Each structure stands twice: as structure tokens, then as C-alpha cells.
Amino acid sequence: MSSEIAGKLGNLGINGQIDMGVRLGARYYIIFLLISMPIDIPLALAEVTGDKSSSSALSFILGIPLIALINPIAKAAIIVAILDITRDAKPTFRRAYSSVFLRFGAVIAASLLWLVSVAGGVAALVIPGLFLLIAGQCIMGVVVTEKLDGVAAFRRSWELVKPKFWSVLLIFLFVEITPGLLNTPISLLLSNFLGDGNGVWVAAIIQRTWSSPFAYAILAVMFLDLQARNKKSGQRA
């Protein structure tokens, strides 16, 4: 499958990116789940804490800002894992996170830059915020694989996204909306089996983690495909 992935990168459309991401997520579900869990479990617990908190400020901080800050860490780790697969290497938790932590400061700085940019855009008008959200979709991949930092990483992300902006937007919406729709019946089933109390925490973890291998894999494939496409167009030029 590694040669198949490497051969197709740079030539995938939306359907191809989703299909390859789903197939990789299914085939490597356990390792991708292990990679995503150190990020997703704290996010799930923070989400429940925010929902239960009487402080609107705490609820806000434990919501979108926290997700935007640490979620990209798992995204970058899955990119490393899929890169290993394309090189006929076995993806491992240690390898994925060791590569990310070598660039940990740059990853967090890029996350903060992206968060502040999107928040500023939303504060001005919703459209600029959405634009910056999509423009930065490749920033974590750029930080980890191309060793760029800060504004340079954001510019490079936009360079990759720009030719396929609407495709990236659709992929982002697909990844964000689909798990939410599927979580509705899952939530009903879990509430019946687990009940209230501690069951709420368990249900939150399950709902946050089960789809992550597929979501992160799709976004990783999207980045790698855009990166390969950009390199091919540069070679032709």
C-alpha cells in the first residue's frame, strides 16, 4: 500500500483524499487511535468540565481556544506516521511524537499564531476568520516536514492551500460535520448504557476519540497531496 500512496499523492481530488484517508484510518486504526488519544482524552475531559462549569470564561477557554492550541499536535503526529507508511516504515507512537516534539516549540507557536489570526478575523468579520482558518490548514504539516516557523509557515500553508481553497474548505467541513452527525445516535446509545455521573466522562472520551483516526488521516492525506502537487507544479515550471 505504501507505493500506492506515494504514487497517487499529488493527483488526488476531494474524493481521493477522503477515500485514502478513510482506508488508512481503517488499516492503521489502532496506532492512529493511540497517537490521537493523548490529545483527544484531555480535550474530551476539558469539554465536559467546561459544560459543567458555571464560569462562562472557563467554559470558553476549555472550548475552541484549547482545541485550536493542542489539536494540531495530533494532526502533525499523524502526518509523520503516514509519511513513514509511504517510506515502507512501520508507523509507531514513539516515532510520530518524537518527530513532533523535536519541533514542539514551533508547533505551539504556529498554533498560537493561527489561533490569534483566526480569532482576530472572526472578531472583525466572520468571513476573514473562516478564510484564515482554511488558509492555515497545512501549517502543522509545513512546520514538521519543511521545518518552517511562524509567519513563514503560515505563508507556505497558504501557498499550498490557495490553488485548492474550495476543496480544502469542503474537506474541512466534511471532517468537522460527519463525526458530529454520527455522534448523535452514538450519544443516545451511550447515555442509555452508561447513564449519568461518571458515564458522562466515559461517553465524552468515546465520542471524541473513535473518529479521530479517520479525521486526522484525511487531513494528513490532504496536506501530503497538496504538498506533492505543489512540488510537481514547481518542477514543471
Side-chain angles (χ1 to χ4, degrees):
M1 191 175 185
S2 59
S3 59
E4 177 187 354
I5 297 170
K8 288 183 177 180
L9 288 175
N11 301 299
L12 298 171
I14 296 176
N15 291 337
Q17 292 170 357
I18 293 174
D19 178 67
M20 183 176 289
V22 170
R23 287 193 292 121
L24 284 170
R27 181 166 183 173
Y28 297 96
Y29 186 84
I30 299 301
I31 183 60
F32 286 2
L33 184 65
L34 290 174
I35 291 172
S36 63
M37 284 178 73
I39 302 300
D40 281 338
I41 290 178
L43 286 177
L45 299 179
E47 184 178 359
V48 175
T49 301
D51 290 341
K52 289 178 174 291
S53 174
S54 58
S55 170
S56 57
L58 179 62
S59 297
F60 174 76
I61 292 171
L62 294 177
I64 294 174
L66 183 64
I67 293 172
L69 184 60
I70 70 172
N71 205 45
I73 297 173
K75 183 178 177 181
I78 295 293
I79 289 173
V80 173
I82 292 180
L83 270 177
D84 282 343
I85 293 169
T86 66
R87 297 165 180 163
D88 290 318
K90 183 180 179 180
T92 66
F93 181 95
R94 181 178 179 181
R95 159 72 180 157
Y97 274 108
S98 63
S99 296
V100 172
F101 284 128
L102 285 173
R103 299 281 295 157
F104 186 74
V107 168
I108 295 300
S111 296
L112 282 170
L113 175 63
W114 189 21
L115 172 61
V116 171
S117 299
V118 172
V122 171
L125 288 170
V126 174
I127 298 301
L130 178 60
F131 171 81
L132 292 170
L133 178 64
I134 302 305
Q137 283 299 307
C138 292
I139 194 169
M140 289 304 116
V142 167
V143 168
V144 173
T145 67
E146 299 187 14
K147 306 298 187 289
L148 295 177
D149 300 332
V151 175
F154 203 107
R155 287 175 178 167
R156 175 60 173 161
S157 177
W158 171 237
E159 180 184 343
L160 297 178
V161 169
K162 185 178 179 181
K164 294 291 181 180
F165 180 86
W166 297 109
S167 298
V168 175
L169 173 60
L170 289 174
I171 290 285
F172 174 78
L173 292 175
F174 177 84
V175 167
E176 290 296 317
I177 293 173
T178 303
L181 294 175
L182 295 176
N183 269 338
T184 300
I186 292 174
S187 176
L188 293 173
L189 289 172
L190 291 175
S191 63
N192 289 331
F193 281 104
L194 299 176
D196 297 326
N198 292 334
V200 173
W201 302 91
V202 176
I205 291 172
I206 293 173
Q207 290 179 74
R208 166 66 66 173
T209 58
W210 76 267
S211 62
S212 289
F214 301 106
Y216 288 130
I218 291 171
L219 293 173
V221 168
M222 180 190 74
F223 162 71
L224 294 171
D225 183 61
L226 293 174
Q227 187 183 53
R229 187 184 300 269
N230 179 266
K231 289 179 179 178
K232 287 180 180 179
S233 63
Q235 291 171 355
R236 287 196 295 268

